[in-house]
Amino acid sequence: MKRIVQVGTVPLGGGRIAVQSMTTGKTSDAQACVAQILRLEEAGCDIVRVAVLDEADACAIKQIKEGVHIPVVADIHFSEKLAVLAAESGADKLRVNPGNIGGEREIARVADCVKAHKIPVRVGANSGSIHPEYLQKYGRSAQALVESALANARVFERHGVHDLVLSVKASDVRMTVDAYTALAEKSQYPLHLGVTEAGVGEQALVKGAVGIGSLLLKGIGDTIRVSLTDDPVREVIAAHEILRACGIERYAEVVSCPTCGRCEYDCMGLARRVAARLKGERTPIKVAVMGCVVNGPGEAADADLGIAGGRKFCVLFERGKQQTRVPAGQAEQMFFERLEKLLKEKET
Ligand code: SF4
């Protein structure tokens, strides 16, 4: 039986995949931190993590929590004192590395503290923090990551902490997928998915999407973070796109054909305008923008609303039926009017 771990108001392990991100500013600047978290909330972030480097950061969590509406996770290295302080300031979860937090005495202090505050801990391993014993035994591999993560979990289990979330991130996508797949077999704890140090731009997006997406499609993972060297709001948007692509979330979706020689109107421009209108739209609706009236309505027959363009006239269609032939000059306006009406109908 999989364990359900509660992070503030958000359960992990119960079936719904929670989207996470991390703030980029200094946590002690609580005001700026709150402003960034509110933007993340607006984008659909479920849980936010903040870096705790010193006492000012740890204490700021109290003020941050007063200004935001989602659980706040404190990310701490090297100091059990900061871990305790973050928990006392109201952190909803700690992310620590038992390997650098100190010896048994320090671990015991953190364990007692999280039990007293009834908050979970994320432990795990990434390719840069593999336990030396497993690194020597298995090399830098998925197996070494898994054994390190399980060893880190055992450290807290020995102290009676069982509300754990595990992660095994590597910057190599295949290693990440292999590690999480093996870990899911061996552990009942919720899994935090991510590809670490994914990089920038399209490369990072694709690495995150392939790594996280292929695990989600296998039914593995309870919370995800897409690591991008970018505005964290983009991480949240990317995370929802991955959930959508995996069929886990149904929000507004635009499908469009790649166009070919049959296309005689500005299909790409219209697709972009429709996508801009539906950006962030939570109503589950599938809208198709197709390049020609010959194949478009048939190819997008499952769309709630579609348009197939032509030089003189266009066709509007709903669920592959109810085709309306309209003059090309009026088609876009009629299409958007119908789209707004459908959105309203679906909202109510
Ligand atoms: S829908 Fe028409 S324009 Fe688009 S790819 Fe198919 S045949 Fe080409």
Side-chain angles (χ1 to χ4, degrees):
M1 223 350 226
K2 191 147 186 179
R3 196 176 176 90
I4 297 179
V5 167
Q6 199 70 30
V7 183
T9 52
V10 178
L12 299 184
R16 190 179 169 272
I17 312 292
V19 170
Q20 299 204 27
S21 187
M22 192 164 180
T23 55
T24 50
K26 185 87 180 92
T27 304
S28 56
D29 185 352
Q31 224 180 341
C33 221
V34 166
Q36 190 172 43
I37 295 171
L38 292 178
R39 286 204 302 124
L40 290 168
E41 285 181 12
E42 177 73 26
C45 185
D46 298 305
I47 298 172
V48 69
R49 185 155 46 111
V50 299
V52 173
L53 278 69
D54 51 34
E55 286 190 14
D57 288 344
C59 293
I61 289 173
K62 187 167 186 290
Q63 202 186 331
I64 290 167
K65 290 238 352 170
E66 282 164 8
V68 306
H69 314 87
I70 55 175
V72 176
V73 180
D75 187 300
I76 298 133
H77 286 277
F78 312 115
S79 168
E80 103 283 0
K81 278 196 197 112
L82 292 181
V84 170
L85 199 53
E88 285 171 351
S89 297
D92 295 290
K93 177 176 151 211
L94 301 185
R95 191 281 183 257
V96 298
N97 177 354
N100 68 25
I101 211 98
E104 280 298 309
R105 201 168 54 90
E106 286 77 15
I107 298 285
R109 263 195 86 194
V110 176
D112 287 346
C113 177
V114 296
K115 281 188 286 180
H117 288 277
K118 295 191 170 57
I119 58 171
V121 183
R122 171 157 74 95
V123 292
N126 61 43
S127 36
S129 69
I130 295 174
H131 196 284
E133 181 189 335
Y134 300 114
L135 193 59
Q136 201 183 10
K137 203 163 167 188
Y138 303 113
R140 203 168 292 281
S141 63
Q143 199 173 357
L145 277 170
V146 172
E147 294 305 328
S148 290
L150 291 173
N152 283 339
R154 284 195 295 274
V155 170
F156 276 101
E157 286 168 344
R158 276 202 299 274
H159 291 277
V161 176
H162 299 283
D163 279 342
L164 296 172
V165 178
L166 303 189
S167 59
V168 275
K169 297 181 181 183
S171 58
D172 179 272
V173 174
R174 186 177 289 274
M175 196 191 292
T176 303
V177 172
D178 289 349
Y180 276 106
T181 306
L183 187 59
E185 295 259 306
K186 292 185 168 192
S187 162
Q188 299 309 309
Y189 293 120
L191 299 182
H192 168 115
L193 303 187
V195 176
T196 195
E197 290 118 29
V200 291
E202 279 84 3
Q203 180 193 298
L205 264 179
V206 171
K207 281 175 85 170
V210 172
I212 294 169
S214 50
L215 286 162
L216 290 175
L217 288 172
K218 290 202 251 186
I220 295 171
D222 303 286
T223 178
I224 65 173
R225 189 223 172 165
V226 182
S227 292
L228 300 178
T229 311
D230 205 332
D231 181 346
V233 166
R234 291 189 52 130
E235 295 188 346
V236 175
I237 293 167
H240 284 292
E241 289 299 339
I242 293 171
L243 291 174
R244 249 191 267 186
C246 292
I248 292 168
E249 270 183 5
R250 267 218 73 198
Y251 287 164
E253 180 187 2
V254 182
V255 294
S256 52
C257 79
T259 77
C260 68
R262 278 210 173 86
C263 180
E264 294 183 301
Y265 84 116
D266 179 23
C267 177
M268 285 184 204
L270 179 58
R272 275 195 290 269
R273 290 189 286 281
V274 175
R277 165 60 189 91
L278 293 177
K279 192 171 170 217
E281 176 62 58
R282 301 293 172 92
T283 308
I285 188 171
K286 187 169 183 174
V287 180
V289 181
M290 305 301 284
C292 73
V293 294
V294 182
N295 290 337
E299 284 178 19
D302 63 339
D304 294 298
L305 175 67
I307 180 168
R311 193 150 36 94
K312 292 193 178 138
F313 69 90
C314 297
V315 167
L316 305 188
F317 54 96
E318 290 179 37
R319 292 249 138 229
K321 298 187 198 100
Q322 296 175 31
Q323 295 201 7
T324 320
R325 226 171 107 115
V326 294
Q330 297 163 26
E332 183 164 338
Q333 190 192 342
M334 289 175 79
F335 175 75
F336 274 106
E337 281 169 8
R338 186 66 200 131
L339 175 59
E340 295 304 331
K341 201 160 169 246
L342 259 186
L343 284 170
K344 269 209 184 79
E345 282 169 17
K346 281 183 174 279
E347 274 166 21
T348 50

